[in-house]
Amino acid sequence: MSASVRHGSSRAQAWFCTTGLPSDVVFEVHDMTFHLHKFPLMANSRKIHRMLTEQEEKRPARGRRRRRMTSSDGGDSGDDGAAETEIEEAEEEEKRDEQQQVRREGDGQVYSIVFPDFPGGPGTFEVAAKSCYGVRVDFTPWNVAPLRCAAEYLEMTEDHAEDNLAARAEAYLEQTVLRHPGDATKALKSCEELLPLAEELGIVDRCVEAIAARSSAASRSWFDDLAVLGLRMYKRVMAAMAARDDVRAEARESCLVSYARGTIPGLSRSMRRRLASAPVSSEVEQKELLEAVVASLPADKCSGRVVTAKFLFALLRTSHILRASDSARAALERKAATQLEQATLEDMLIPSYSSAAETLYDVDCVERIVRYFLAEEELSGEASYSAAIEEEAGEVSRPSAMGMVQVGKLVDSYLAEVASDANLKPAKFCELALSLPDHARIYDDGVYRAVDIYLKAHPRLTAEERDRVVGVVDCRKLTVEACTHAAQNERLPLRAVLQVLFFEQLQLRRAITGTLLAPAAAGPPRAARQQQRAGPGEAAAWRGATALAQESQVLRLDMDSVASRVQELERECSSMRRAIKKIDGRGGSRSPGGRSPDGGDGSGPAAGGWRARHGCKFSTQVCDSQARNVVASRASRMGMSP
């Protein structure tokens, strides 16, 4: 069997079956005509067989009526009204039979059948027609559902002919397509243009169940195929997955993320690739898609491996762009708060898209997320540090405590980023900085840096506003480097500088005093118990103070050794000066030649004698003595002998 396609004037395209015999039936499917032979089609399609048989029986009556219409055209003008009435009745009858019309073309034996709503369109009809001529049908996940619906439409079943199109399509659907979720997704997409027939045949339900049942066991390579689905089919798939107990949460999250990334452009600033088969949606459709994705998010906290903090913040940023509903934004903010400790500074930099906002970034949104995070921590009881565990490295930590510290660092970095915004009010800056509890910051160096940037960017603050901004920094939690910088910072009020200096000296004194007075019997076990009773913030502060105290102790011992050696040298120098004066007073006892009475040159026993008489004992290894004392002090601290 061969075919040719040619363009006509009244129709867009025409398809001819060139088998050597003239065609006797013409099918009109949408904008295309097919010139075929009735006997192969009648042998495989019950519907075509029935239509042509019925029209064969009615042909004489239709022929007489048409001849009457023809003869009336040549009659008198008095019969024009009756002729027009008969023509109108004929046209109305043809309109009523438009969907399944068989009409005779001229006086020949060629019939025309119109299928304006044929499932799958001209392409599917062409494949179905070829199967009637014995041409092999190559089934794919994309065409199996249209061919199954076409077979049902044409009644190409086993009751009419063996090994018919309906049976072959069903076999391929059950044995191949429904066994893999990726193929089932493609077949489900093709069903969107076949409703309601695909729904009546159960193809939609079977594809949805196949995707849900095999989503956990299959590989993740097919998840990107979900992007081709429309919103309606996507909702049915997610509902089916949620209703099954054997579907892992990670599989549902993977389906959600893949669909969102494939259907919502600009979801992630780092993603530059979209699926070629994914439909391009309008802004209204994207908004609807985004709200549907938000509604599909798990009610519990996500695993974090698939639905990551980056993905949630990208959804939140896109919701601002698309002006999603307030409920969708609030849901995303609460969901993002559950993974705030995994977010980065780039994730939190959400621009202000509202015309009423004055700042470059949406600080109010970040503040709400931080408060949701703190409320979640308080409700779950993870803010308690009484049951802290000790890790192999000797550090005391709890997941919630480490998360709180990580959020503290993140907020400080965010404050430093937005501090240069000239439109950021002091009250809003202080409100966000003070929203975290004290144990969220081990050191206040980060918030001090943000305060310094804010003061530099806002030089016209009043004295009261400046004091309020600087007041968010706890001077007792600044490191030595931060204290040194703060003591020389001209932008800080004098009162704040004095506080920094005071607490710096106080911390150093307490660290040194606590280390020197600590009994040696306490040892590592007691220090470990003290760290176990303290929270992560206090434990880190304890470790920092201990290290500082140890360094201070070594420095103090070295300085004491140097001071002792300097005092010894001063005493020897004083004794030497007194001896020299006495020698100068006895200069007359020498001989004029500068010789001593015993004939020496002053460097013999006589010289050693006056050194011995006056007690001048000079050490010939001053540097060695000093180094020996320092080494000895360090060796004693480490439990070694010098």
Side-chain angles (χ1 to χ4, degrees), residues 57 146 241 338 542 561 591:
E57 297 174 354
M241 295 178 68
T338 61
W542 173 270
S561 176
S591 61

Side-chain angles (χ1 to χ4, degrees), residues 88-337:
E88 292 177 356
E89 291 177 355
E91 290 178 353
E92 291 178 358
E93 182 179 354
E94 289 180 359
K95 290 180 180 179
R96 288 194 300 268
D97 299 336
E98 183 178 2
Q99 294 183 356
Q100 298 177 353
Q101 177 187 12
V102 179
R103 70 178 184 269
R104 182 182 178 187
E105 294 187 353
D107 295 332
Q109 301 297 322
V110 179
Y111 296 88
S112 178
I113 301 179
V114 181
F115 290 141
D117 58 348
F118 190 84
T124 303
F125 181 82
E126 179 183 344
V127 177
K130 287 182 178 180
S131 69
C132 297
Y133 287 88
V135 178
R136 177 183 174 182
V137 178
D138 294 328
F139 290 100
T140 66
W142 288 107
N143 68 8
V144 64
L147 288 175
R148 177 65 183 89
C149 292
E152 188 68 19
Y153 184 87
L154 297 175
E155 300 180 19
M156 300 176 66
T157 61
E158 293 294 303
D159 297 338
H160 188 69
E162 294 182 358
D163 194 25
N164 216 336
L165 183 61
R168 285 181 285 168
E170 277 289 341
Y172 183 82
L173 184 66
E174 293 289 341
Q175 299 174 8
T176 304
V177 175
L178 298 182
R179 293 186 178 183
H180 190 275
D183 293 340
T185 302
K186 298 174 183 177
L188 183 60
K189 172 60 180 179
S190 65
C191 290
E192 294 179 356
E193 304 296 333
L194 303 173
L195 300 176
L197 185 55
E199 195 78 66
E200 296 172 357
L201 295 176
I203 301 177
V204 175
D205 288 337
R206 284 184 288 173
C207 289
V208 169
E209 288 299 322
I211 295 172
R214 292 172 172 81
S215 58
S216 296
S219 62
R220 299 183 181 181
S221 58
W222 66 274
F223 287 153
D224 290 340
D225 296 336
L226 288 173
V228 302
L229 294 179
L231 182 58
R232 179 183 175 184
M233 293 301 181
Y234 165 75
K235 289 182 177 180
R236 292 188 61 170
V237 170
M238 296 304 297
M241 295 178 68
R244 298 181 64 95
D245 296 333
D246 57 344
V247 178
R248 299 195 305 268
E250 185 175 350
R252 293 198 300 269
E253 294 176 5
S254 299
C255 292
L256 184 148
V257 172
S258 298
Y259 185 78
R261 288 180 175 173
T263 57
I264 305 176
L267 179 61
S268 177
R269 289 178 290 183
S270 61
M271 186 180 66
R272 298 292 182 264
R273 179 186 62 89
R274 293 186 68 250
L275 298 177
S277 56
V280 179
S281 305
S282 63
E283 184 174 338
V284 177
E285 292 174 339
Q286 291 180 38
K287 176 182 175 181
E288 186 179 1
L289 288 170
L290 184 139
E291 293 178 351
V293 169
V294 174
S296 302
L297 289 172
D300 300 332
K301 183 176 180 179
C302 300
S303 61
R305 294 186 297 270
V306 181
V307 181
T308 60
K310 181 178 290 295
F311 172 74
L312 292 174
F313 276 93
L315 275 180
L316 183 58
R317 185 185 303 107
T318 308
S319 68
H320 285 244
I321 299 175
L322 298 177
R323 295 178 176 85
S325 61
D326 294 339
S327 59
R329 294 188 192 185
L332 282 174
E333 289 175 358
R334 292 183 179 274
K335 187 63 66 173

Side-chain angles (χ1 to χ4, degrees), residues 22 194 221 324 417 470 483 527 627:
L194 303 173
S221 58
E417 185 69 25
V470 175
C483 288

Side-chain angles (χ1 to χ4, degrees), residues 374-387:
L374 297 176
E376 187 70 20
E377 288 290 306
E378 183 177 359
L379 290 177
S380 61
E382 295 180 352
S384 176
Y385 304 102
S386 58

